[in-house]
Amino acid sequence: MERNFQKAAEYIESASNQGAILAVLPEYHLLNWVPHDPGYKEACSHWQTYLQKYQNLAKEFNICIVPGTLVELHDQGTQDERLLNVAYFIDNTGAILGRYQKKNLWGNIERDHLTSSTMDPHVAFDTPIGKVGMLICWDLAFPEAWRELISQGAKTIIIPTFWTLSDCSKEGLAINPVAEGLFLDSMLTARCFENTCAVVFANAGGPPGKGYAGLSQVCVPYAGALTRLGSHAEGMAVVDVDMGILEDAEKNYQTQ
């Protein structure tokens, strides 16, 4: 965890030095998703320590941070013990402005271990970059979640993600080995058009041969992806977003 945190801190400092006002990390960025590992649950008990570290970084570098997701262990050792997969929006003073617990869990690999937010509403909230909504990974496949956030005035949807090429079935991979990449590129472009919003999608990268999809991108209507990390490799991009594009697109498409 500490090694991954230090790497994230270096990226955040670099982003701040380049003038960024928001840094977004991928889902599961501190620990990966290995719930069967004997030490995993204990590591998840330290989530508050790392949340505070990110709050300190935000204040130190004067930058808003969505620190991917933190897997949180609650009520350890009781009958109510549970793991939650949570994204936070931290502003540049270190204050927590938003919190979102993953609702749509991916298959038994998550459903056997994580607790969903179930019927809790999706909530948009005010930030220094305007009104924001957050989703996590597989949530992006559910258009009703987007509409709920857009109806509350969200202009930017932030999506920390851990999505791999191997999430596709054997049948799908036989047809297209990069089907999941096609899914992501198509869905993110469609969502920004149909909701006239900006999308900040941060997906995990990693070593070759492990199935990492990468493809982190920022999308807006008309343009699609303003930048796109096209390989699986770990990296960072700093993107300027003209939010006026959203107003122009809404006048044209009138979807809100």
Side-chain angles (χ1 to χ4, degrees), residues 11-159:
Y11 278 124
I12 290 167
E13 181 178 10
S14 175
S16 176
N17 289 338
Q18 295 177 61
I21 59 173
L22 169 67
V24 182
L25 300 171
E27 182 184 24
Y28 298 141
H29 71 286
L30 286 179
L31 283 167
N32 203 311
W33 177 240
V34 285
H36 296 292
D37 186 288
Y40 193 79
K41 189 177 290 186
E42 193 280 330
C44 293
S45 69
H46 300 290
W47 64 272
Q48 288 173 302
T49 297
Y50 285 92
L51 178 58
Q52 184 62 60
K53 286 187 175 191
Y54 281 117
Q55 290 178 266
N56 295 342
L57 279 181
K59 188 174 182 179
E60 178 182 357
F61 296 119
N62 190 33
I63 189 171
C64 300
I65 301 173
V66 175
T69 67
L70 302 176
V71 184
E72 304 179 0
L73 179 63
H74 290 260
D75 297 319
Q76 185 175 11
T78 74
Q79 62 181 6
D80 296 322
E81 181 178 288
R82 61 203 183 279
L83 285 175
L84 312 180
N85 190 15
V86 182
Y88 290 90
F89 190 105
I90 303 167
D91 77 5
N92 58 316
T93 71
I96 294 172
L97 300 186
R99 177 188 184 276
Y100 172 67
Q101 179 184 340
K102 189 173 186 178
K103 183 183 295 289
N104 297 289
L105 304 181
W106 173 252
N108 291 337
I109 192 172
E110 287 191 334
R111 293 171 191 165
D112 287 349
H113 303 279
L114 291 172
T115 298
S116 165
S117 62
T118 60
M119 300 305 292
D120 290 352
H122 292 277
V123 178
F125 49 92
D126 292 315
T127 77
I129 66 165
K131 206 146 199 179
V132 162
M134 294 193 296
L135 300 172
I136 298 172
C137 199
W138 186 229
D139 287 323
L140 70 84
F142 297 84
E144 59 271 23
W146 295 73
R147 297 309 295 173
E148 191 173 358
L149 292 168
I150 296 300
S151 70
Q152 297 172 51
K155 298 298 183 185
T156 302
I157 309 298
I158 299 171
I159 315 173

